[in-house]
Amino acid sequence: AGGSSDQVLAPMPGKVTKVLVTKDAPIKVGQAVLVMEAMKMEYTLKADAEGTIDSINCAVGEQVALGKLLVKIKTDASK
């Protein structure tokens, strides 16, 4: 995902191992949102936008496809 996106997308197919945020929690740019495992490696996905967590669309243990919307961030601009 490029630019300052209000969405955290799966960068590759893999399994969600940790969700580090909760709905309506404040989030800052660069803050870790979730951890996924792919190709026997762990990847920490971070927020590209500041705001609050609008929705979490995955669960721990879930297999996700490339490009799946995992977390949506509500930014000040999108209110």
Short mmCIF file of all heavy atoms in Angstrom, two decimals:
data_model
loop_
_atom_site.label_atom_id
_atom_site.label_comp_id
_atom_site.label_asym_id
_atom_site.label_seq_id
_atom_site.Cartn_x
_atom_site.Cartn_y
_atom_site.Cartn_z
N ALA A 1 0.85 -1.19 0.00
CA ALA A 1 0.00 0.00 0.00
C ALA A 1 0.89 1.23 0.00
O ALA A 1 1.80 1.33 0.80
CB ALA A 1 -0.91 -0.01 1.22
N GLY A 2 0.61 2.15 -0.91
CA GLY A 2 1.44 3.34 -0.99
C GLY A 2 0.70 4.57 -0.51
O GLY A 2 -0.51 4.57 -0.39
N GLY A 3 1.43 5.61 -0.23
CA GLY A 3 0.84 6.87 0.20
C GLY A 3 0.30 6.78 1.61
O GLY A 3 0.63 5.88 2.36
N SER A 4 -0.51 7.77 2.00
CA SER A 4 -1.09 7.76 3.34
C SER A 4 -2.50 7.20 3.24
O SER A 4 -3.47 7.93 3.08
CB SER A 4 -1.09 9.15 3.95
OG SER A 4 -1.89 10.01 3.19
N SER A 5 -2.59 5.91 3.30
CA SER A 5 -3.86 5.22 3.11
C SER A 5 -4.58 5.04 4.45
O SER A 5 -3.95 4.84 5.48
CB SER A 5 -3.60 3.85 2.49
OG SER A 5 -4.81 3.11 2.41
N ASP A 6 -5.91 5.11 4.39
CA ASP A 6 -6.71 4.87 5.60
C ASP A 6 -7.11 3.41 5.71
O ASP A 6 -7.97 3.05 6.48
CB ASP A 6 -7.94 5.78 5.63
CG ASP A 6 -8.88 5.53 4.45
OD1 ASP A 6 -8.48 4.80 3.51
OD2 ASP A 6 -10.00 6.05 4.47
N GLN A 7 -6.45 2.56 4.91
CA GLN A 7 -6.73 1.13 4.94
C GLN A 7 -5.43 0.36 5.13
O GLN A 7 -4.40 0.75 4.60
CB GLN A 7 -7.36 0.67 3.63
CG GLN A 7 -8.66 1.36 3.31
CD GLN A 7 -9.21 0.94 1.96
OE1 GLN A 7 -8.49 0.45 1.10
NE2 GLN A 7 -10.50 1.13 1.77
N VAL A 8 -5.50 -0.71 5.91
CA VAL A 8 -4.38 -1.64 6.03
C VAL A 8 -4.77 -2.89 5.26
O VAL A 8 -5.74 -3.56 5.62
CB VAL A 8 -4.06 -1.96 7.51
CG1 VAL A 8 -2.91 -2.95 7.60
CG2 VAL A 8 -3.74 -0.68 8.28
N LEU A 9 -4.05 -3.16 4.18
CA LEU A 9 -4.36 -4.30 3.32
C LEU A 9 -3.32 -5.39 3.49
O LEU A 9 -2.17 -5.10 3.83
CB LEU A 9 -4.37 -3.85 1.84
CG LEU A 9 -5.30 -2.68 1.49
CD1 LEU A 9 -5.10 -2.28 0.04
CD2 LEU A 9 -6.74 -3.03 1.77
N ALA A 10 -3.71 -6.63 3.24
CA ALA A 10 -2.76 -7.75 3.31
C ALA A 10 -1.77 -7.61 2.15
O ALA A 10 -2.17 -7.60 1.00
CB ALA A 10 -3.51 -9.07 3.22
N PRO A 11 -0.47 -7.49 2.45
CA PRO A 11 0.53 -7.34 1.39
C PRO A 11 0.83 -8.64 0.66
O PRO A 11 1.50 -8.64 -0.37
CB PRO A 11 1.76 -6.84 2.15
CG PRO A 11 1.61 -7.42 3.52
CD PRO A 11 0.11 -7.45 3.78
N MET A 12 0.34 -9.73 1.21
CA MET A 12 0.54 -11.06 0.63
C MET A 12 -0.43 -12.02 1.30
O MET A 12 -0.97 -11.70 2.36
CB MET A 12 1.98 -11.52 0.86
CG MET A 12 2.31 -11.73 2.32
SD MET A 12 4.06 -11.80 2.65
CE MET A 12 4.52 -10.10 2.41
N PRO A 13 -0.65 -13.19 0.71
CA PRO A 13 -1.49 -14.18 1.41
C PRO A 13 -0.77 -14.64 2.67
O PRO A 13 0.46 -14.77 2.67
CB PRO A 13 -1.61 -15.33 0.40
CG PRO A 13 -1.11 -14.79 -0.90
CD PRO A 13 -0.21 -13.65 -0.59
N GLY A 14 -1.50 -14.85 3.74
CA GLY A 14 -0.88 -15.31 4.98
C GLY A 14 -1.91 -15.49 6.07
O GLY A 14 -3.12 -15.42 5.84
N LYS A 15 -1.40 -15.67 7.29
CA LYS A 15 -2.26 -15.93 8.45
C LYS A 15 -2.08 -14.81 9.47
O LYS A 15 -0.95 -14.44 9.78
CB LYS A 15 -1.86 -17.27 9.05
CG LYS A 15 -2.70 -17.70 10.25
CD LYS A 15 -2.41 -19.15 10.55
CE LYS A 15 -2.20 -19.38 12.01
NZ LYS A 15 -1.87 -20.76 12.31
N VAL A 16 -3.18 -14.29 9.97
CA VAL A 16 -3.14 -13.26 11.00
C VAL A 16 -2.77 -13.92 12.32
O VAL A 16 -3.43 -14.87 12.74
CB VAL A 16 -4.50 -12.53 11.11
CG1 VAL A 16 -4.48 -11.52 12.25
CG2 VAL A 16 -4.85 -11.86 9.79
N THR A 17 -1.68 -13.45 12.96
CA THR A 17 -1.25 -14.06 14.22
C THR A 17 -1.54 -13.17 15.43
O THR A 17 -1.69 -13.67 16.54
CB THR A 17 0.24 -14.41 14.20
OG1 THR A 17 1.01 -13.25 13.89
CG2 THR A 17 0.53 -15.50 13.16
N LYS A 18 -1.61 -11.85 15.23
CA LYS A 18 -1.92 -10.93 16.34
C LYS A 18 -2.66 -9.72 15.79
O LYS A 18 -2.30 -9.19 14.74
CB LYS A 18 -0.64 -10.42 17.01
CG LYS A 18 0.18 -11.45 17.72
CD LYS A 18 1.45 -10.82 18.29
CE LYS A 18 2.40 -11.91 18.73
NZ LYS A 18 3.78 -11.46 18.80
N VAL A 19 -3.68 -9.28 16.52
CA VAL A 19 -4.34 -8.01 16.22
C VAL A 19 -3.99 -7.10 17.39
O VAL A 19 -4.28 -7.42 18.55
CB VAL A 19 -5.87 -8.18 16.07
CG1 VAL A 19 -6.52 -6.82 15.86
CG2 VAL A 19 -6.19 -9.11 14.90
N LEU A 20 -3.33 -5.98 17.11
CA LEU A 20 -2.76 -5.14 18.16
C LEU A 20 -3.60 -3.90 18.47
O LEU A 20 -3.20 -3.08 19.29
CB LEU A 20 -1.35 -4.70 17.75
CG LEU A 20 -0.40 -5.86 17.40
CD1 LEU A 20 0.89 -5.32 16.81
CD2 LEU A 20 -0.11 -6.72 18.61
N VAL A 21 -4.75 -3.76 17.82
CA VAL A 21 -5.61 -2.59 18.04
C VAL A 21 -7.05 -3.04 18.31
O VAL A 21 -7.39 -4.19 18.08
CB VAL A 21 -5.59 -1.66 16.80
CG1 VAL A 21 -4.21 -1.04 16.62
CG2 VAL A 21 -6.03 -2.38 15.54
N THR A 22 -7.86 -2.11 18.81
CA THR A 22 -9.28 -2.38 19.02
C THR A 22 -10.09 -1.30 18.32
O THR A 22 -9.59 -0.20 18.07
CB THR A 22 -9.63 -2.38 20.53
OG1 THR A 22 -9.23 -1.13 21.09
CG2 THR A 22 -8.95 -3.53 21.26
N LYS A 23 -11.34 -1.61 18.03
CA LYS A 23 -12.22 -0.66 17.34
C LYS A 23 -12.34 0.62 18.16
O LYS A 23 -12.40 0.57 19.39
CB LYS A 23 -13.59 -1.29 17.13
CG LYS A 23 -14.53 -0.41 16.32
CD LYS A 23 -15.75 -1.19 15.89
CE LYS A 23 -16.83 -0.38 15.25
NZ LYS A 23 -16.52 0.89 14.67
N ASP A 24 -12.34 1.75 17.47
CA ASP A 24 -12.46 3.09 18.07
C ASP A 24 -11.23 3.54 18.85
O ASP A 24 -11.25 4.61 19.47
CB ASP A 24 -13.71 3.20 18.97
CG ASP A 24 -15.00 2.99 18.19
OD1 ASP A 24 -15.05 3.44 17.03
OD2 ASP A 24 -15.93 2.40 18.74
N ALA A 25 -10.15 2.76 18.82
CA ALA A 25 -8.91 3.17 19.49
C ALA A 25 -8.18 4.19 18.63
O ALA A 25 -8.20 4.12 17.41
CB ALA A 25 -8.02 1.95 19.72
N PRO A 26 -7.53 5.17 19.27
CA PRO A 26 -6.74 6.13 18.48
C PRO A 26 -5.51 5.44 17.87
O PRO A 26 -4.98 4.49 18.46
CB PRO A 26 -6.32 7.18 19.52
CG PRO A 26 -6.49 6.53 20.84
CD PRO A 26 -7.50 5.44 20.70
N ILE A 27 -5.10 5.90 16.71
CA ILE A 27 -3.95 5.30 16.02
C ILE A 27 -3.10 6.42 15.43
O ILE A 27 -3.63 7.43 14.99
CB ILE A 27 -4.42 4.30 14.94
CG1 ILE A 27 -3.27 3.53 14.31
CG2 ILE A 27 -5.18 4.97 13.85
CD1 ILE A 27 -3.12 2.15 14.86
N LYS A 28 -1.79 6.22 15.45
CA LYS A 28 -0.86 7.19 14.88
C LYS A 28 -0.14 6.57 13.68
O LYS A 28 -0.05 5.35 13.57
CB LYS A 28 0.18 7.61 15.93
CG LYS A 28 -0.44 8.30 17.13
CD LYS A 28 0.56 9.19 17.80
CE LYS A 28 -0.01 9.95 18.96
NZ LYS A 28 -1.11 10.81 18.69
N VAL A 29 0.38 7.42 12.80
CA VAL A 29 1.14 6.95 11.64
C VAL A 29 2.33 6.13 12.14
O VAL A 29 3.03 6.53 13.07
CB VAL A 29 1.64 8.15 10.79
CG1 VAL A 29 2.56 7.68 9.69
CG2 VAL A 29 0.46 8.91 10.22
N GLY A 30 2.53 4.97 11.55
CA GLY A 30 3.65 4.11 11.92
C GLY A 30 3.38 3.16 13.08
O GLY A 30 4.20 2.32 13.40
N GLN A 31 2.21 3.29 13.71
CA GLN A 31 1.87 2.40 14.83
C GLN A 31 1.52 1.02 14.30
O GLN A 31 0.84 0.87 13.30
CB GLN A 31 0.68 2.99 15.60
CG GLN A 31 0.30 2.18 16.83
CD GLN A 31 -0.81 2.87 17.62
OE1 GLN A 31 -1.01 4.08 17.54
NE2 GLN A 31 -1.55 2.07 18.38
N ALA A 32 2.01 -0.02 14.98
CA ALA A 32 1.72 -1.40 14.58
C ALA A 32 0.23 -1.68 14.77
O ALA A 32 -0.35 -1.34 15.79
CB ALA A 32 2.55 -2.37 15.41
N VAL A 33 -0.36 -2.30 13.73
CA VAL A 33 -1.79 -2.59 13.74
C VAL A 33 -2.02 -4.08 13.95
O VAL A 33 -2.84 -4.49 14.75
CB VAL A 33 -2.44 -2.13 12.41
CG1 VAL A 33 -3.88 -2.53 12.34
CG2 VAL A 33 -2.28 -0.63 12.25
N LEU A 34 -1.29 -4.90 13.18
CA LEU A 34 -1.42 -6.35 13.34
C LEU A 34 -0.17 -7.05 12.84
O LEU A 34 0.67 -6.45 12.19
CB LEU A 34 -2.68 -6.89 12.65
CG LEU A 34 -2.83 -6.71 11.14
CD1 LEU A 34 -2.19 -7.86 10.40
CD2 LEU A 34 -4.31 -6.69 10.79
N VAL A 35 -0.07 -8.31 13.19
CA VAL A 35 1.07 -9.15 12.77
C VAL A 35 0.50 -10.30 11.97
O VAL A 35 -0.49 -10.91 12.37
CB VAL A 35 1.86 -9.68 13.99
CG1 VAL A 35 3.02 -10.56 13.54
CG2 VAL A 35 2.37 -8.52 14.84
N MET A 36 1.13 -10.57 10.83
CA MET A 36 0.72 -11.74 10.04
C MET A 36 1.94 -12.57 9.71
O MET A 36 3.07 -12.08 9.74
CB MET A 36 -0.08 -11.34 8.80
CG MET A 36 0.65 -10.59 7.75
SD MET A 36 -0.44 -10.16 6.37
CE MET A 36 -0.70 -11.73 5.59
N GLU A 37 1.69 -13.83 9.44
CA GLU A 37 2.75 -14.78 9.12
C GLU A 37 2.57 -15.23 7.68
O GLU A 37 1.47 -15.60 7.28
CB GLU A 37 2.64 -15.97 10.07
CG GLU A 37 3.78 -16.94 9.99
CD GLU A 37 3.58 -18.07 11.00
OE1 GLU A 37 3.92 -17.89 12.18
OE2 GLU A 37 3.04 -19.11 10.59
N ALA A 38 3.66 -15.16 6.92
CA ALA A 38 3.63 -15.61 5.54
C ALA A 38 5.02 -16.11 5.18
O ALA A 38 6.02 -15.51 5.58
CB ALA A 38 3.22 -14.47 4.62
N MET A 39 5.09 -17.19 4.47
CA MET A 39 6.36 -17.78 4.07
C MET A 39 7.30 -17.98 5.26
O MET A 39 8.48 -17.68 5.19
CB MET A 39 7.02 -16.91 2.99
CG MET A 39 6.18 -16.80 1.74
SD MET A 39 6.94 -15.83 0.43
CE MET A 39 6.91 -14.20 1.14
N LYS A 40 6.74 -18.45 6.37
CA LYS A 40 7.47 -18.74 7.60
C LYS A 40 8.16 -17.53 8.21
O LYS A 40 9.13 -17.66 8.94
CB LYS A 40 8.48 -19.87 7.37
CG LYS A 40 7.80 -21.16 6.98
CD LYS A 40 8.78 -22.30 6.89
CE LYS A 40 8.05 -23.55 6.45
NZ LYS A 40 8.91 -24.67 6.25
N MET A 41 7.68 -16.33 7.88
CA MET A 41 8.21 -15.10 8.47
C MET A 41 7.05 -14.29 9.03
O MET A 41 5.92 -14.38 8.55
CB MET A 41 8.95 -14.27 7.41
CG MET A 41 10.21 -14.94 6.91
SD MET A 41 11.11 -13.90 5.75
CE MET A 41 11.62 -12.55 6.80
N GLU A 42 7.34 -13.47 10.05
CA GLU A 42 6.33 -12.60 10.63
C GLU A 42 6.47 -11.20 10.04
O GLU A 42 7.58 -10.70 9.88
CB GLU A 42 6.50 -12.51 12.15
CG GLU A 42 5.84 -13.62 12.89
CD GLU A 42 5.70 -13.32 14.37
OE1 GLU A 42 6.34 -12.39 14.88
OE2 GLU A 42 4.95 -14.04 15.02
N TYR A 43 5.35 -10.60 9.72
CA TYR A 43 5.32 -9.25 9.17
C TYR A 43 4.42 -8.40 10.05
O TYR A 43 3.28 -8.78 10.30
CB TYR A 43 4.77 -9.25 7.73
CG TYR A 43 5.65 -10.02 6.79
CD1 TYR A 43 5.44 -11.38 6.58
CD2 TYR A 43 6.69 -9.40 6.11
CE1 TYR A 43 6.25 -12.11 5.73
CE2 TYR A 43 7.51 -10.12 5.24
CZ TYR A 43 7.28 -11.47 5.06
OH TYR A 43 8.10 -12.19 4.21
N THR A 44 4.94 -7.26 10.51
CA THR A 44 4.15 -6.32 11.30
C THR A 44 3.61 -5.26 10.36
O THR A 44 4.39 -4.57 9.70
CB THR A 44 5.00 -5.68 12.41
OG1 THR A 44 5.52 -6.72 13.24
CG2 THR A 44 4.18 -4.74 13.27
N LEU A 45 2.30 -5.14 10.28
CA LEU A 45 1.68 -4.15 9.42
C LEU A 45 1.38 -2.91 10.24
O LEU A 45 0.87 -3.00 11.36
CB LEU A 45 0.40 -4.71 8.80
CG LEU A 45 0.56 -6.03 8.04
CD1 LEU A 45 -0.74 -6.42 7.38
CD2 LEU A 45 1.66 -5.93 6.99
N LYS A 46 1.72 -1.74 9.68
CA LYS A 46 1.61 -0.48 10.41
C LYS A 46 0.63 0.46 9.72
O LYS A 46 0.38 0.35 8.52
CB LYS A 46 2.98 0.17 10.51
CG LYS A 46 3.94 -0.71 11.29
CD LYS A 46 5.30 -0.10 11.41
CE LYS A 46 6.18 -1.02 12.25
NZ LYS A 46 7.56 -0.64 12.25
N ALA A 47 0.12 1.40 10.50
CA ALA A 47 -0.83 2.39 9.98
C ALA A 47 -0.11 3.42 9.14
O ALA A 47 0.97 3.88 9.49
CB ALA A 47 -1.54 3.06 11.15
N ASP A 48 -0.72 3.81 8.02
CA ASP A 48 -0.21 4.87 7.16
C ASP A 48 -0.95 6.18 7.39
O ASP A 48 -0.66 7.18 6.72
CB ASP A 48 -0.35 4.49 5.68
CG ASP A 48 0.64 3.42 5.26
OD1 ASP A 48 1.70 3.29 5.89
OD2 ASP A 48 0.34 2.70 4.29
N ALA A 49 -1.93 6.17 8.29
CA ALA A 49 -2.73 7.37 8.54
C ALA A 49 -3.01 7.49 10.03
O ALA A 49 -2.99 6.49 10.76
CB ALA A 49 -4.04 7.29 7.76
N GLU A 50 -3.27 8.72 10.48
CA GLU A 50 -3.62 8.96 11.87
C GLU A 50 -5.13 9.10 11.99
O GLU A 50 -5.77 9.61 11.07
CB GLU A 50 -2.93 10.24 12.34
CG GLU A 50 -3.07 10.48 13.82
CD GLU A 50 -2.16 11.59 14.33
OE1 GLU A 50 -1.07 11.78 13.77
OE2 GLU A 50 -2.56 12.26 15.29
N GLY A 51 -5.68 8.63 13.08
CA GLY A 51 -7.12 8.73 13.30
C GLY A 51 -7.57 7.75 14.37
O GLY A 51 -6.90 7.57 15.37
N THR A 52 -8.71 7.10 14.12
CA THR A 52 -9.20 6.05 15.02
C THR A 52 -9.53 4.81 14.19
O THR A 52 -9.82 4.91 13.01
CB THR A 52 -10.47 6.50 15.79
OG1 THR A 52 -11.46 6.87 14.86
CG2 THR A 52 -10.18 7.65 16.73
N ILE A 53 -9.49 3.66 14.85
CA ILE A 53 -9.79 2.40 14.16
C ILE A 53 -11.29 2.35 13.89
O ILE A 53 -12.10 2.40 14.81
CB ILE A 53 -9.35 1.19 15.02
CG1 ILE A 53 -7.85 1.24 15.30
CG2 ILE A 53 -9.74 -0.12 14.32
CD1 ILE A 53 -6.95 1.18 14.08
N ASP A 54 -11.64 2.29 12.61
CA ASP A 54 -13.05 2.26 12.20
C ASP A 54 -13.58 0.83 12.19
O ASP A 54 -14.68 0.57 12.67
CB ASP A 54 -13.18 2.90 10.81
CG ASP A 54 -14.62 3.11 10.39
OD1 ASP A 54 -15.46 3.34 11.28
OD2 ASP A 54 -14.90 3.05 9.19
N SER A 55 -12.80 -0.10 11.63
CA SER A 55 -13.25 -1.50 11.61
C SER A 55 -12.04 -2.43 11.52
O SER A 55 -11.01 -2.07 10.96
CB SER A 55 -14.19 -1.76 10.44
OG SER A 55 -13.52 -1.54 9.21
N ILE A 56 -12.21 -3.60 12.10
CA ILE A 56 -11.21 -4.67 12.02
C ILE A 56 -11.88 -5.82 11.29
O ILE A 56 -12.88 -6.36 11.76
CB ILE A 56 -10.73 -5.09 13.43
CG1 ILE A 56 -10.10 -3.89 14.15
CG2 ILE A 56 -9.75 -6.26 13.33
CD1 ILE A 56 -9.82 -4.11 15.62
N ASN A 57 -11.36 -6.17 10.12
CA ASN A 57 -12.02 -7.13 9.24
C ASN A 57 -11.31 -8.47 9.17
O ASN A 57 -11.37 -9.16 8.16
CB ASN A 57 -12.14 -6.53 7.83
CG ASN A 57 -12.88 -5.21 7.85
OD1 ASN A 57 -13.94 -5.10 8.46
ND2 ASN A 57 -12.33 -4.22 7.20
N CYS A 58 -10.61 -8.82 10.25
CA CYS A 58 -9.93 -10.12 10.28
C CYS A 58 -9.84 -10.57 11.74
O CYS A 58 -10.10 -9.79 12.65
CB CYS A 58 -8.53 -10.00 9.68
SG CYS A 58 -7.46 -8.84 10.54
N ALA A 59 -9.50 -11.83 11.93
CA ALA A 59 -9.38 -12.39 13.27
C ALA A 59 -8.09 -13.19 13.36
O ALA A 59 -7.56 -13.66 12.35
CB ALA A 59 -10.57 -13.30 13.57
N VAL A 60 -7.59 -13.35 14.58
CA VAL A 60 -6.39 -14.15 14.80
C VAL A 60 -6.64 -15.56 14.31
O VAL A 60 -7.69 -16.15 14.57
CB VAL A 60 -6.00 -14.14 16.30
CG1 VAL A 60 -4.86 -15.11 16.58
CG2 VAL A 60 -5.61 -12.74 16.73
N GLY A 61 -5.70 -16.09 13.54
CA GLY A 61 -5.81 -17.43 13.01
C GLY A 61 -6.42 -17.49 11.62
O GLY A 61 -6.38 -18.52 10.96
N GLU A 62 -6.96 -16.37 11.16
CA GLU A 62 -7.60 -16.34 9.84
C GLU A 62 -6.56 -16.31 8.72
O GLU A 62 -5.58 -15.58 8.79
CB GLU A 62 -8.49 -15.09 9.74
CG GLU A 62 -9.24 -14.98 8.45
CD GLU A 62 -10.13 -13.73 8.37
OE1 GLU A 62 -10.39 -13.11 9.42
OE2 GLU A 62 -10.54 -13.40 7.26
N GLN A 63 -6.80 -17.09 7.68
CA GLN A 63 -5.98 -17.05 6.47
C GLN A 63 -6.55 -15.93 5.61
O GLN A 63 -7.75 -15.90 5.35
CB GLN A 63 -6.07 -18.37 5.70
CG GLN A 63 -5.30 -19.51 6.32
CD GLN A 63 -3.79 -19.34 6.18
OE1 GLN A 63 -3.05 -19.59 7.12
NE2 GLN A 63 -3.30 -18.93 5.02
N VAL A 64 -5.71 -15.01 5.19
CA VAL A 64 -6.19 -13.89 4.38
C VAL A 64 -5.53 -13.90 3.01
O VAL A 64 -4.40 -14.37 2.85
CB VAL A 64 -5.94 -12.53 5.09
CG1 VAL A 64 -6.76 -12.45 6.37
CG2 VAL A 64 -4.48 -12.30 5.37
N ALA A 65 -6.24 -13.38 2.03
CA ALA A 65 -5.75 -13.33 0.65
C ALA A 65 -5.02 -12.01 0.41
O ALA A 65 -5.24 -11.02 1.12
CB ALA A 65 -6.92 -13.46 -0.31
N LEU A 66 -4.19 -11.99 -0.60
CA LEU A 66 -3.50 -10.78 -1.02
C LEU A 66 -4.50 -9.66 -1.28
O LEU A 66 -5.52 -9.87 -1.94
CB LEU A 66 -2.73 -11.07 -2.32
CG LEU A 66 -2.16 -9.87 -3.06
CD1 LEU A 66 -1.03 -9.25 -2.26
CD2 LEU A 66 -1.65 -10.27 -4.42
N GLY A 67 -4.26 -8.49 -0.69
CA GLY A 67 -5.12 -7.33 -0.93
C GLY A 67 -6.37 -7.24 -0.07
O GLY A 67 -7.12 -6.28 -0.19
N LYS A 68 -6.60 -8.21 0.81
CA LYS A 68 -7.79 -8.16 1.67
C LYS A 68 -7.70 -6.96 2.61
O LYS A 68 -6.66 -6.69 3.18
CB LYS A 68 -7.91 -9.44 2.50
CG LYS A 68 -9.09 -9.39 3.50
CD LYS A 68 -9.22 -10.68 4.28
CE LYS A 68 -10.12 -10.56 5.50
NZ LYS A 68 -11.51 -10.30 5.25
N LEU A 69 -8.82 -6.24 2.75
CA LEU A 69 -8.89 -5.13 3.70
C LEU A 69 -8.90 -5.72 5.11
O LEU A 69 -9.82 -6.45 5.48
CB LEU A 69 -10.15 -4.30 3.46
CG LEU A 69 -10.43 -3.21 4.48
CD1 LEU A 69 -9.32 -2.16 4.51
CD2 LEU A 69 -11.77 -2.55 4.20
N LEU A 70 -7.85 -5.42 5.89
CA LEU A 70 -7.74 -5.97 7.24
C LEU A 70 -8.24 -4.99 8.29
O LEU A 70 -8.97 -5.35 9.20
CB LEU A 70 -6.28 -6.34 7.52
CG LEU A 70 -5.65 -7.35 6.54
CD1 LEU A 70 -4.17 -7.53 6.84
CD2 LEU A 70 -6.38 -8.68 6.59
N VAL A 71 -7.82 -3.73 8.16
CA VAL A 71 -8.21 -2.71 9.13
C VAL A 71 -8.51 -1.41 8.38
O VAL A 71 -7.77 -1.03 7.48
CB VAL A 71 -7.08 -2.46 10.17
CG1 VAL A 71 -7.44 -1.32 11.12
CG2 VAL A 71 -6.80 -3.73 10.97
N LYS A 72 -9.61 -0.74 8.77
CA LYS A 72 -9.97 0.56 8.19
C LYS A 72 -9.80 1.62 9.26
O LYS A 72 -10.22 1.42 10.40
CB LYS A 72 -11.43 0.51 7.72
CG LYS A 72 -11.96 1.79 7.17
CD LYS A 72 -11.91 1.77 5.65
CE LYS A 72 -12.70 2.92 5.05
NZ LYS A 72 -11.92 4.09 4.78
N ILE A 73 -9.15 2.72 8.89
CA ILE A 73 -8.89 3.81 9.83
C ILE A 73 -9.78 5.00 9.47
O ILE A 73 -9.86 5.38 8.30
CB ILE A 73 -7.40 4.22 9.78
CG1 ILE A 73 -6.52 3.03 10.19
CG2 ILE A 73 -7.14 5.43 10.68
CD1 ILE A 73 -5.04 3.22 9.90
N LYS A 74 -10.42 5.56 10.48
CA LYS A 74 -11.23 6.77 10.26
C LYS A 74 -10.30 7.96 10.54
O LYS A 74 -9.88 8.16 11.68
CB LYS A 74 -12.42 6.79 11.22
CG LYS A 74 -13.41 7.91 10.93
CD LYS A 74 -14.50 8.03 11.97
CE LYS A 74 -15.09 6.73 12.41
NZ LYS A 74 -16.04 6.85 13.51
N THR A 75 -9.98 8.71 9.50
CA THR A 75 -9.10 9.86 9.64
C THR A 75 -9.94 11.11 9.89
O THR A 75 -11.15 11.11 9.68
CB THR A 75 -8.26 10.07 8.37
OG1 THR A 75 -9.14 10.31 7.28
CG2 THR A 75 -7.39 8.85 8.08
N ASP A 76 -9.28 12.17 10.33
CA ASP A 76 -9.99 13.44 10.55
C ASP A 76 -10.64 13.92 9.25
O ASP A 76 -11.71 14.47 9.25
CB ASP A 76 -9.03 14.50 11.08
CG ASP A 76 -8.58 14.18 12.50
OD1 ASP A 76 -9.32 13.45 13.20
OD2 ASP A 76 -7.51 14.65 12.91
N ALA A 77 -9.97 13.67 8.14
CA ALA A 77 -10.47 14.11 6.82
C ALA A 77 -11.71 13.33 6.39
O ALA A 77 -12.52 13.84 5.63
CB ALA A 77 -9.36 13.96 5.78
N SER A 78 -11.87 12.08 6.88
CA SER A 78 -12.98 11.25 6.42
C SER A 78 -14.20 11.32 7.35
O SER A 78 -15.14 10.58 7.19
CB SER A 78 -12.53 9.80 6.26
OG SER A 78 -12.17 9.24 7.50
N LYS A 79 -14.17 12.20 8.34
CA LYS A 79 -15.30 12.32 9.27
C LYS A 79 -16.43 13.09 8.64
O LYS A 79 -16.24 13.95 7.85
CB LYS A 79 -14.86 13.01 10.56
CG LYS A 79 -14.10 12.08 11.46
CD LYS A 79 -13.76 12.76 12.76
CE LYS A 79 -12.95 11.84 13.64
NZ LYS A 79 -12.46 12.45 14.81
#
